[in-house]
Amino acid sequence: MKKKVYKKKGTRSKSTVGFVLILAIIAFTSFVMINGLQVGIYEILPVKDNVNYGLDLTGGVYVVLEAKEAKGDPVTDEKINRAIAIIQERIDGLGVSEPIIARQGENRIRVSIPDMQDQKEALDVIGKTAQLEFVGPDGEVVLTGERVKESNAVYQTDETGARSAVVTLKFNEAGTEAFAEATAKYINQVIEIKLDGEVISAPQVQTKITGGEAVITGMANIEEAGNLATLIQAGALPVELEPVEVRTIGPTLGQDSLEKSIIGGAIGISLVFAFMLFYYRVPGFIADLALIVYVLLNFLVYSLIGVTITLPGVAGIILSIGMAVDANVIIFERIKEELRIGKSLGAAIDSGFKEAFSSIFDGNVTVVIAGLVLFALGSGTVKGFAVTLLIGTAISMFTALTVTRHLLKMFVNMQIVKNTKFYGA
């Protein structure tokens, strides 16, 4: 039955149109991802501009800080989270693009600052004492963060029963007196709350507040209120942080690494293309098309979910490319065996994919397990390697078992190359 299906004229025309259409889509998508596209007010940037790069590819300062526990003052999750929020605010004030401030283990904070080469400047920015000020509309500092005793994010219900997120403030005795004077002076005016000179909130005074407590309304949600409460209460870092690792990657070295990675990747993929085409002929040509789809899908996922590519991440990409090719090799060898025992081309392709599935699936599952362990237990660039490896493995399974199969069957249905020797017989 299957031999008759491959010979149907309608199937041949349909497969030809489908195959040409897929080639056109691959070519168009490749062009857009390499060069970008602008249609009217809409613009698609080249994929290289949509992907995040790690410090080892762009240059910058990498710092690991360890919280030091003082006698009677243990390091807690709350202190680490507050320290991260304060450091994030300070580095954002520098205007650098996409810094990474993340917790590492129980008591460490990892900070990556792109486009900064001065280690001392980086440590000064991270370790400085934050200055919280309440400033009147005339520029007068009415009180400082030392007078704020407590700040929390809570939900408040108004007279209509509507619930909204607010930030509560409690001042000490001196702060209560100063805030009462200020709110009496600036009724219906704005008192700005500044952290390190940056305005983090600008509430309007509605009445004189004498009880030492105030509420800041207008928060979009409880998360925004929580962030503001953390910053208000922050002041100085809540725990002593000691730098245990400081590295600087120069922009020239980073750019050089990026260029070498691109050249190396291009050479490697080109050699793979040539080998597959020379050794497997028609199936090799189809595998090359599937490999292009694989690369496009990989970078599409990177840009959509914001993967940061580092040098180890590049290694993960190259390793997963090798796995994608390996899956095709297993399939094509099975097809060759089926052809050699006398099966028709269509039957050999079906059997080849079916018999190769378990080997490919088992091999990829072991890689996924290893990748998950690296992601769960690793940190920094090790996680970057695990992420690109896991994404690449998932996509390679799809391209090898689905894209390659459909493209190969469509090509066979086109009946351009009928001699089974070109399929490995």
Side-chain angles (χ1 to χ4, degrees):
M1 285 298 291
K2 289 183 178 177
K3 289 181 73 175
K4 291 180 181 178
V5 170
Y6 282 113
K7 290 178 180 177
K8 283 184 179 177
K9 188 176 180 180
T11 302
R12 181 181 179 183
S13 300
K14 187 177 176 182
S15 296
T16 303
V17 172
F19 193 82
V20 172
L21 185 62
I22 290 175
L23 283 184
I25 293 173
I26 292 174
F28 177 74
T29 307
S30 301
F31 175 83
V32 171
M33 293 188 74
I34 293 172
N35 301 292
L37 179 68
Q38 183 160 12
V39 180
I41 61 172
Y42 300 101
E43 182 180 11
I44 300 175
L45 296 174
V47 68
K48 65 181 176 63
D49 296 333
N50 278 326
V51 174
N52 301 322
Y53 300 99
L55 289 187
D56 48 2
L57 295 177
T58 61
V61 176
Y62 175 84
V63 182
V64 177
L65 303 159
E66 184 173 278
K68 308 302 292 184
E69 194 166 286
K71 188 176 181 180
D73 186 18
V75 175
T76 62
D77 288 345
E78 188 267 342
K79 288 180 179 177
I80 293 293
N81 292 335
R82 280 176 56 196
I84 290 174
I86 294 169
I87 293 171
Q88 178 78 58
E89 184 69 19
R90 293 174 182 176
I91 294 177
D92 285 346
L94 297 174
V96 299
S97 61
E98 299 179 2
I100 298 174
I101 301 96
R103 185 169 184 167
Q104 181 175 310
E106 293 293 325
N107 61 344
R108 289 188 174 185
I109 298 173
R110 175 167 48 86
V111 182
S112 300
I113 312 175
D115 304 323
M116 178 179 279
Q117 305 304 315
D118 190 336
Q119 294 184 0
K120 185 176 182 304
E121 181 186 358
L123 293 175
D124 286 346
V125 169
I126 294 170
K128 71 179 180 180
T129 300
Q131 182 65 44
L132 181 70
E133 296 175 328
F134 290 69
V135 182
D138 54 2
E140 180 186 355
V141 178
V142 296
L143 61 88
T144 63
E146 297 172 353
R147 307 288 170 83
V148 177
K149 192 165 66 176
E150 190 176 331
S151 176
N152 294 297
V154 298
Y155 282 108
Q156 177 179 269
T157 304
D158 61 20
E159 59 274 9
T160 66
R163 207 167 70 126
S164 60
V166 300
V167 177
T168 60
L169 300 174
K170 287 185 180 179
F171 302 102
N172 60 18
E173 186 176 346
T176 300
E177 184 178 341
F179 198 65
E181 291 179 7
T183 51
K185 182 179 179 181
Y186 300 124
I187 284 182
N188 295 326
Q189 298 183 67
V190 170
I191 294 180
E192 294 180 335
I193 303 174
K194 293 184 175 181
L195 184 68
D196 293 337
E198 296 292 329
V199 178
I200 58 176
S201 182
Q204 186 179 50
V205 180
Q206 296 178 340
T207 183
K208 179 181 178 181
I209 300 173
T210 59
E213 296 185 5
V215 173
I216 302 175
T217 59
M219 299 295 110
N221 49 49
I222 194 67
E223 286 76 21
E224 181 181 327
N227 291 336
L228 180 56
T230 299
L231 291 174
I232 290 174
Q233 197 165 342
L237 289 170
V239 63
E240 182 185 354
L241 296 174
E242 180 182 346
V244 293
E245 182 181 354
V246 181
R247 286 191 283 126
T248 302
I249 298 96
T252 304
L253 177 62
Q255 186 63 34
D256 185 55
S257 300
L258 179 60
E259 291 174 357
K260 286 182 177 177
S261 298
I262 293 173
I263 293 172
I267 292 174
I269 292 175
S270 298
L271 290 175
V272 170
F273 279 8
F275 170 78
M276 295 298 288
L277 191 60
F278 173 77
Y279 194 77
Y280 289 103
R281 302 180 185 180
V282 170
F285 169 66
I286 300 300
D288 289 349
L289 292 177
L291 202 54
I292 294 174
V293 174
Y294 165 83
V295 173
L296 295 177
L297 288 176
N298 258 284
F299 281 95
L300 183 63
V301 171
Y302 296 158
S303 59
L304 287 177
I305 67 174
V307 172
T308 298
I309 297 180
T310 61
L311 278 177
V314 173
I317 296 170
I318 294 173
L319 180 58
S320 60
I321 289 176
M323 294 187 61
V325 175
D326 184 56
N328 283 319
V329 168
I330 294 172
I331 294 167
F332 298 157
E333 289 298 327
R334 295 295 304 185
I335 292 175
K336 286 166 70 174
E337 291 177 6
E338 300 295 331
L339 288 172
R340 286 168 185 165
I341 63 175
K343 285 190 176 180
S344 67
L345 188 53
I349 291 173
D350 288 335
S351 297
F353 276 92
K354 183 179 178 181
E355 297 298 327
F357 176 79
S358 60
S359 300
I360 296 170
F361 183 78
D362 292 347
N364 280 277
V365 166
T366 56
V367 173
V368 168
I369 292 172
L372 289 174
V373 172
L374 286 175
F375 183 80
L377 303 180
S379 62
T381 55
V382 176
K383 277 194 173 183
F385 172 80
V387 168
T388 55
L389 181 62
L390 288 170
I391 293 172
T393 302
I395 295 177
S396 72
M397 282 276 287
F398 170 73
T399 55
L401 296 175
T402 304
V403 177
T404 302
R405 179 174 187 156
H406 283 84
L407 284 176
L408 186 57
K409 295 191 77 169
M410 280 199 292
F411 190 88
V412 171
N413 288 341
M414 289 163 59
Q415 301 182 40
I416 296 175
V417 180
K418 299 179 181 178
N419 191 334
T420 55
K421 287 185 178 179
F422 287 95
Y423 295 87

